Amino acid sequence: NAGVTQTPKFQVLKTGQSMTLQCAQDMNHNSMYWYRQDPGMGLRLIYYSASEGTTDKGEVPNGYNVSRLNKREFSLRLESAAPSQTSVYFCASSERGQVPYEQYFGPGTRLTVT
Amino acid sequence: AQSVSQHNHHVILSEAASLELGCNYSYGGTVNLFWYVQYPGQHLQLLLKYFSGDPLVKGIKGFEAEFIKSKFSFNLRKPSVQWSDTAEYFCAVSSGGSYIPTFGRGTSLIVHP
């Protein structure tokens, strides 16, 4: 099992450019998440998908869009990148049920917007 | 909305020292509690979790955490740290009705050999 995979690992964009971050999981999890990690800020939730076909905003959704392509894949799109979106982006997945399932994280994408 | 506070932002210890990292949360109802660790250059992984039962939870690599409901706390402890424990540690809390956790800002731990 690869777990949660993310592409690309690194990306440099100019202000105004667009890009899509890809995430896939092979654990048959229902729920998937996108976080950004900034120094001293911890992880902040951008968007999440409770199950295939649904997406919802998290704490910091402005400037981002997501697509839950199927149960395995959850992509994050920056339509017009801004320097404030320079960050490390983590995708995660988890099961859902009566007990609190932990999240499994991908290796991250380090994005720099100049 | 739930908030999670990690009071120690940076901790520096020598090997064999004892560790305690604080975590407090704001929600007064049923909570699910997690500690994650992020080693340098790696992704987050689960150290331990609590959702019911014995409030003293044991995790991987000799870590443990104690849930004290009256103090809204879930502090992480390790009796004797090693250089390989150098990492960032995140506390996360989800409220009983939500499966989505709120993360604290993290504590950076540096262990000197």
Side-chain angles (χ1 to χ4, degrees), chain B residues 80-100:
Chain B
S80 175
V81 294
Q82 300 172 315
W83 174 78
S84 57
D85 293 324
T86 294
E88 191 146 12
Y89 293 81
F90 293 93
C91 180
V93 181
S94 64
S95 306
S98 170
Y99 63 95
I100 300 173

Side-chain angles (χ1 to χ4, degrees), chain A residues 3-71:
Chain A
V4 180
T5 57
Q6 291 181 236
T7 56
K9 285 188 167 50
F10 301 94
Q11 184 71 48
V12 178
L13 292 178
K14 294 188 188 305
T15 298
Q17 288 185 316
S18 62
M19 77 162 296
T20 300
L21 281 64
Q22 306 286 355
C23 174
Q25 52 92 9
D26 62 1
M27 295 172 282
N28 203 36
H29 286 163
N30 284 311
S31 301
M32 297 186 73
Y33 316 79
W34 275 106
Y35 290 91
R36 59 179 289 173
Q37 183 182 27
D38 302 293
M41 300 294 291
L43 274 77
R44 293 183 291 170
L45 183 66
I46 305 171
Y47 271 93
Y48 66 98
S49 170
S51 59
E52 186 179 353
T54 69
T55 60
D56 284 289
K57 294 178 181 179
E59 181 186 354
V60 289
N62 290 349
Y64 305 94
N65 283 302
V66 290
S67 296
R68 183 74 183 266
L69 304 170
N70 47 55
K71 193 171 185 179

